[in-house]
Amino acid sequence: MEKLIQQIKQGKVWPFAGGIHPPGQKSLSNANPITRLPLPDKLVVPLKQHIGANGQLIVEKGQTVLKGQALTKPVANWSVPVHAPTSGIITDICQMPSAHPSALPELSIIITPDGKDCWCELIPHVSFADLSHDELINIIHNSGISGMGGAGFPTYIKADSRKPIEFLIVNAVECEPYITADDVLMREHAAQIVSGIKIMQQLLCPTLTIIGIEDNKPEAIEAMKLAAKDDESIVVQTVPTVYPSGGERQLIQLLTDKEVPSGGIPADIGVLVHNVGTLYAIEQAVIEGKPLIERVVTVTGNTIHNAGNVWALLGSEIKHLLDCQGFSPVPQQRVVMGGPMMGFTLPTVRIGVIKTTNCILAPDHNELAEPGPEQACIRCSACADACPASLLPQQLQWFAKSKEYDKLKEYNLFDCIECGACAYVCPSEIPLVQYYRVAKVEIKEQQAEKVKAERAKERFELRKERLEREQEARQNRHKRKPAITKSADEKQKVADALARVKSSDEKSDNKSAVAAAIARAKAKKNSGELEPDNSEVAKERAARKEQARAYKAQKEAGSSTDETTEDKKSAVAAAIARAKAKKAAKADEATPSEKSPVDDKKAAVAAAIARAKAKKAAKVEEASATEQPPADDKKAAVAAAIARAKAKKAAKADEAKASLEVIAAAEPEQIQDSAPLSAEDKKKAAVAAAIVRAKAKKAAKADEAKASLEVTAAGEPEQIQDSAPLSAEDKKKAAVAAVAAAIARAKAKKAAKADEAKASLEVTAAGEPEQIQDSAPLSAEDKKKAAVAAAIARAKAKKAAKADEAKASLEVTAVGEPEQIQDSAPLSAEDKKKAAVAKAIARAKAKKTQQEGSDKS
Ligand code: SF4
Ligand code: SF4
């Protein structure tokens, strides 16, 4: 190391491979000092002027800003802010063409200067030695300083290197033709550059600082040596003029004989390289407190009248620089940003100066001829000989054309510094550097996509693992105890469990239960352990049985309660039915015409029963009457009438009772609920009622006929005595009997009419109980039917009444003149029999009367 340092201090340099010697053309612009341009009409400040992310915008359109005021703030890695180059108003924030060969739009801040060029508050640190490492780094960072040699790498990253630095190299070579910005800067501001070197020495603590300057810049060499004469740690080293000696890797090899490994960085070998313009900016930021808002730009070329170096505000349009320096464009004028070797032709001169803009070249056609058409590679190897990175440019070109990116990486494409030496020497006019640039961009995009896909895959794998863990955890939560290797005892337990299951399935099989119990006992005895796992199952089964028994008991209790309740309900319903029947009977007696159809039905049934009883009683009485001796006919007739009256009364009482009983026993639901019957039940009930009524009517007619015969036999002796002379008393009695018979017929007629009315109501109730029950308005059809039924009932009643009258007339006639009756109409056998009996009675009475008269006489 000491030897190396000694060699360096002795001025030894080490050559690098390749390199070319193009015409310098530096005298066009380095003869005059740096000039300061007037304020432009507008400034276009791109947010991105370096390698890395954009800063966050902290101003807005219309806002007034001061010179040096921050427009963005750093937020992400490798992002550095930008500042207002002068005071003015932000007129727009929009996309503008970028200072790039593609001129892709970049978000830019448009500032209209107010002409005052008023600085914001500055915080200078004259004694920077008192500042800490971080304070210095923050100042450098917030000042927006990035590499001004052309790469644009954020300076605070390089200044904050964690790797030990042996050599701090100041790149003042400026090997590219036409460019003299660093040369004149060193001439005029060597002291400030040395101050910047000292700030970096404070941060990096290098063993040696080497200032590399090409030997074609004698004034700059002298100025730098003068400025650094008091610092032995700083060595000003003169290097030969070979292009591209200003390349970072090439300069390191020139000054230290160290070679940066492929894919590595200078810090890996303990070397750090800074451009002189960057060091000047560091000095301005730390000591003066000024952020990076301007830089020295060489404006040169044969079309520039006042070629030279100018202090150009960042954001100043190229057109402004050209105009200020006397630009006389030629036809098909090209304006190149950078040098003729590494620069690129601008698509427009409305692009603003950025931090890496070191030169604006406006050559005429003699200076920089238009490249001719591309021709096929002749494999001359001139490109390989000129390549300072020891690459194979022709191979890289082929792989780039065929997009064989793996091959490009294999052939170290990224070691190419894009110096253009290969293209400069190529006789086939092949734009080799353009192919490399495009290939690098495509490979970087491919790598970015690959990284993105790998991150997505990594996230997917992590998510998949997480889901599997969660699923496994859920399964473990619900899983039973893990199965254990079956031993002899466990096999016995399994057999025991199977036996219990079998016994449970065949409960009636006591033998299985006993066998299971024996098996359990054996298992318990053999194992001496607890019951197998199915004991819990047995417990659960017992619990279910107990639950079933409880449920059954509860259900039985509930059913008994229901039965009791039903009994109570039935009793109450029966009582209500009886009460209703009683009330209906009373109402029927009081207002028979207002009876409801149901009451009429009940009454009809009761009346039928009563009539049957009355008929039976009448028959019994009739039999007894016929058995009585005809000695005292008058008394017997009176007694018979009294007996019939009693029987009739008893029959009515029985009828009422029977009605209640029938209603309560036979149709409790109808009476209780007065619920509407089904159509079938109603029809049946109507038929039954009609049959009962018919029977009752027949029986009543028979009773009336009998009564008429009896009354006639007992109460009308005068008519019976027509064949024989009657006494005055007998005639009187006969008259009374005739009157009684007439009254009986009238009652029978009235009863028949009442029955007909009831029958009509019953028929209507049986057919349409709801209408009658609810007194709902009947439809026209129903009314018509009801009217027809009522008419039929009235006709029947009228016919029955007429038949009764005819019978009564016949009976009276038969009593008085049986022969005439027999002639006028043929009598039935029974009527004839009755007539014969009546005639015999009449004759017996007449005979008796005659005997009594003869006895008296
Ligand atoms: S541009 Fe690349 S390949 Fe061509 S000479 Fe320069 S370093 Fe080599
Ligand atoms: S210099 Fe041009 S022609 Fe010669 S080998 Fe290289 S690419 Fe081919």
Side-chain angles (χ1 to χ4, degrees):
M1 184 68 182
E2 290 294 332
K3 183 181 179 182
L4 177 61
I5 293 174
Q6 191 65 31
Q7 289 177 331
I8 294 171
K9 285 186 176 179
Q10 291 175 357
K12 186 178 182 180
V13 292
W14 292 264
F16 60 90
I20 58 174
H21 297 82
Q25 303 290 345
K26 293 182 181 287
S27 58
L28 288 174
S29 58
N30 63 1
N32 298 317
I34 307 171
T35 59
R36 189 169 291 279
L37 298 179
L39 287 174
D41 294 336
K42 73 172 182 179
L43 294 166
V44 181
V45 183
L47 269 62
K48 181 178 172 62
Q49 302 183 33
H50 59 280
I51 295 175
N54 290 349
Q56 183 180 355
L57 195 65
I58 56 175
V59 293
E60 58 186 8
K61 183 179 177 182
Q63 182 177 343
T64 300
V65 292
L66 297 175
K67 186 176 183 178
Q69 181 178 338
L71 303 176
T72 62
K73 66 176 182 179
V75 288
N77 289 334
W78 291 19
S79 71
V80 293
V82 294
H83 300 77
T86 185
S87 60
I89 299 175
I90 297 175
T91 54
D92 202 358
I93 299 174
C94 59
Q95 299 285 338
M96 294 293 288
S98 62
H100 190 268
S102 64
L104 291 174
E106 290 277 359
L107 186 63
S108 304
I109 301 170
I110 313 299
I111 299 175
T112 300
D114 57 7
K116 299 176 182 176
D117 202 26
C118 181
W119 277 98
C120 65
E121 183 183 1
L122 302 178
I123 305 174
H125 298 86
V126 177
S127 56
F128 60 87
D130 298 334
L131 297 174
S132 66
H133 177 90
D134 291 343
E135 287 174 337
L136 284 174
I137 294 296
N138 287 333
I139 291 171
I140 294 170
H141 190 191
N142 292 325
S143 297
I145 301 172
S146 59
M148 301 178 73
F153 195 85
T155 302
Y156 81 97
I157 299 293
K158 294 173 75 173
D160 196 21
S161 175
R162 300 300 178 186
K163 294 181 179 179
I165 301 299
E166 293 180 353
F167 299 102
L168 172 62
I169 295 178
V170 178
N171 189 349
V173 174
E174 200 172 50
C175 60
E176 191 163 358
Y178 287 94
I179 304 174
T180 59
D182 289 343
D183 183 8
V184 296
L185 182 66
M186 285 187 287
R187 292 181 195 178
E188 299 182 13
H189 299 284
Q192 287 86 350
I193 294 171
V194 171
S195 295
I197 291 172
K198 291 186 176 178
I199 293 170
M200 290 306 296
Q201 286 178 328
Q202 182 176 332
L203 290 169
L204 299 171
C205 302
T207 304
L208 186 66
T209 299
I210 307 172
I211 302 173
I213 307 174
E214 277 188 334
D215 55 9
N216 60 358
K217 302 176 183 67
E219 293 91 347
I221 294 171
E222 290 299 322
M224 292 303 296
K225 284 183 177 177
L226 183 62
K229 65 179 182 181
D230 297 333
D231 193 338
E232 293 183 354
S233 64
I234 300 175
V235 175
V236 178
Q237 197 75 299
T238 302
V239 297
T241 303
V242 179
Y243 181 83
S245 58
E248 188 175 64
R249 291 169 181 259
Q250 286 71 38
L251 184 58
I252 292 172
Q253 189 168 6
L254 269 175
L255 298 177
T256 64
D257 196 23
K258 287 177 177 287
E259 196 169 339
V260 179
S262 177
I265 58 174
D268 296 338
I269 57 173
V271 179
L272 203 65
V273 180
H274 279 294
N275 179 266
V276 289
T278 306
L279 292 170
Y280 175 81
I282 290 172
E283 186 274 338
Q284 292 288 300
V286 175
I287 296 176
E288 302 289 338
K290 295 177 180 178
L292 180 58
I293 57 169
E294 62 181 1
R295 68 157 297 151
V296 178
V297 178
T298 302
V299 182
T300 186
N302 289 338
T303 60
I304 303 298
H305 297 295
N306 298 318
N309 291 279
V310 298
W311 283 107
L313 295 176
L314 302 181
S316 300
E317 292 182 337
I318 303 301
K319 184 177 185 300
H320 177 68
L321 273 66
L322 295 172
D323 293 342
C324 291
Q325 296 303 112
F327 179 45
S328 298
V330 296
Q332 298 181 341
Q333 177 67 53
R334 294 172 59 196
V335 178
V336 178
M337 181 175 280
M341 303 301 292
M342 300 182 70
F344 58 91
T345 302
L346 289 171
T348 174
V349 292
R350 289 293 182 178
I351 293 173
V353 173
I354 60 173
K355 296 173 184 176
T356 55
T357 304
N358 56 1
C359 179
I360 300 296
L361 176 59
D364 58 18
H365 299 302
N366 296 324
E367 285 181 291
L368 198 62
E370 282 285 330
E374 180 182 342
Q375 298 176 3
C377 173
I378 59 174
R379 305 194 181 192
C380 65
S381 74
C383 54
D385 295 339
C387 180
S390 303
L391 300 177
L392 297 173
Q394 75 276 23
Q395 302 285 351
L396 293 174
Q397 175 231 345
W398 294 337
F399 296 141
K401 283 182 177 179
S402 60
K403 298 186 183 298
E404 295 180 74
Y405 300 136
D406 291 337
K407 285 287 185 182
L408 287 171
K409 285 189 280 187
E410 184 181 343
Y411 279 76
N412 302 315
L413 173 65
F414 286 91
D415 287 346
C416 172
I417 60 173
E418 302 178 13
C419 66
C422 55
Y424 182 80
V425 297
C426 179
S428 297
E429 304 269 357
I430 300 173
L432 297 168
V433 180
Q434 303 303 321
Y435 284 115
Y436 305 152
R437 285 173 177 167
V438 172
K440 283 182 178 179
V441 171
E442 291 176 351
I443 290 173
K444 286 179 179 177
E445 288 178 354
Q446 191 182 55
Q447 288 177 339
E449 290 296 324
K450 188 176 179 181
V451 169
K452 195 184 295 183
E454 287 177 353
R455 287 177 180 172
K457 184 180 178 182
E458 186 178 352
R459 288 198 304 273
F460 172 76
E461 294 294 339
L462 291 173
R463 181 177 179 273
K464 186 180 176 183
E465 291 177 4
R466 178 174 58 81
L467 293 176
E468 288 176 353
R469 287 197 303 273
E470 292 175 357
Q471 186 178 8
E472 187 178 1
R474 282 197 299 272
Q475 289 176 348
N476 290 335
R477 279 200 298 272
H478 298 293
K479 195 160 60 179
R480 289 181 179 274
K481 292 179 180 177
I484 306 173
T485 305
K486 291 181 179 179
S487 62
D489 294 341
E490 288 168 345
K491 288 180 180 178
Q492 184 58 40
K493 291 177 182 177
V494 171
D496 181 32
L498 292 173
R500 283 198 299 277
V501 171
K502 190 173 181 182
S503 65
S504 64
D505 293 338
E506 301 172 0
K507 292 181 179 177
S508 59
D509 192 353
N510 293 329
K511 291 180 180 180
S512 298
V514 171
I518 292 169
R520 283 197 298 274
K522 284 181 179 179
K524 197 169 184 180
K525 185 178 180 181
N526 292 332
S527 64
E529 297 175 356
L530 296 173
E531 286 288 325
D533 294 337
N534 59 2
S535 60
E536 295 183 359
V537 176
K539 288 180 181 178
E540 294 176 359
R541 186 185 300 124
R544 285 198 299 272
K545 286 181 178 179
E546 184 63 28
Q547 189 177 3
R549 282 196 290 273
Y551 175 75
K552 188 176 180 182
Q554 185 180 1
K555 188 176 180 182
E556 288 176 352
S559 63
S560 63
T561 306
D562 294 339
E563 288 176 4
T564 305
T565 305
E566 288 296 329
D567 293 342
K568 287 180 179 178
K569 287 181 177 178
S570 299
V572 171
I576 293 169
R578 287 193 296 274
K580 286 183 176 179
K582 194 171 181 179
K583 186 177 179 181
K586 287 181 179 178
D588 191 21
E589 289 177 1
T591 56
S593 61
E594 297 177 356
K595 286 181 180 176
S596 67
V598 177
D599 294 338
D600 291 341
K601 194 173 177 182
K602 295 170 186 175
V605 174
I609 296 169
R611 283 195 292 274
K613 288 184 177 180
K615 187 177 179 183
K616 188 177 179 181
K619 284 182 179 178
V620 172
E621 190 176 354
E622 184 180 1
S624 62
T626 53
E627 288 174 359
Q628 286 180 357
D632 195 355
D633 292 337
K634 196 174 180 180
K635 290 180 179 178
V638 172
I642 293 168
R644 283 195 300 276
K646 288 181 178 179
K648 197 172 183 179
K649 187 176 181 182
K652 284 183 179 178
D654 291 339
E655 187 177 358
K657 281 185 180 178
S659 176
L660 287 173
E661 289 167 0
V662 169
I663 292 166
E667 299 173 347
E669 291 80 7
Q670 293 181 7
I671 298 167
Q672 180 184 353
D673 302 331
S674 297
L677 298 174
S678 68
E680 187 78 17
D681 295 338
K682 291 169 183 175
K683 193 178 271 186
K684 289 178 179 178
V687 172
I691 294 168
V692 170
R693 284 196 303 276
K695 288 181 177 179
K697 196 171 180 180
K698 188 176 179 183
K701 286 178 179 177
D703 289 342
E704 287 171 3
K706 282 183 180 178
S708 177
L709 286 172
E710 288 167 359
V711 169
T712 304
E716 296 179 358
E718 289 80 1
Q719 292 180 4
I720 297 171
Q721 288 174 354
D722 285 345
S723 59
L726 295 175
S727 65
E729 191 170 355
D730 291 336
K731 289 179 180 176
K732 194 174 182 180
K733 288 178 180 176
V736 170
V739 170
I743 293 168
R745 284 195 299 275
K747 286 182 178 179
K749 191 175 180 180
K750 188 177 181 181
K753 286 183 179 178
D755 286 341
E756 287 172 5
K758 284 180 181 178
S760 176
L761 289 171
E762 285 163 6
V763 170
T764 305
E768 296 163 355
E770 289 81 7
Q771 293 180 4
I772 297 170
Q773 182 180 354
D774 299 335
S775 299
L778 298 175
S779 66
E781 181 103 7
D782 296 335
K783 288 176 180 178
K784 199 170 184 180
K785 289 179 179 178
V788 171
I792 293 168
R794 285 196 298 274
K796 286 181 178 179
K798 197 171 180 181
K799 187 177 179 183
K802 285 181 178 177
D804 289 341
E805 288 175 359
K807 281 184 179 177
S809 175
L810 284 172
E811 286 164 0
V812 171
T813 307
V815 170
E817 298 169 350
E819 291 81 5
Q820 292 178 2
I821 294 170
Q822 282 179 338
D823 297 337
S824 59
L827 295 175
S828 64
E830 190 163 352
D831 293 337
K832 289 176 180 177
K833 196 173 181 179
K834 290 177 181 177
V837 170
K839 197 172 180 181
I841 292 169
R843 281 198 298 273
K845 286 183 178 180
K847 193 174 182 180
K848 186 180 178 181
T849 304
Q850 286 177 352
Q851 284 178 355
E852 288 177 353
S854 62
D855 289 342
K856 285 180 180 179
S857 63

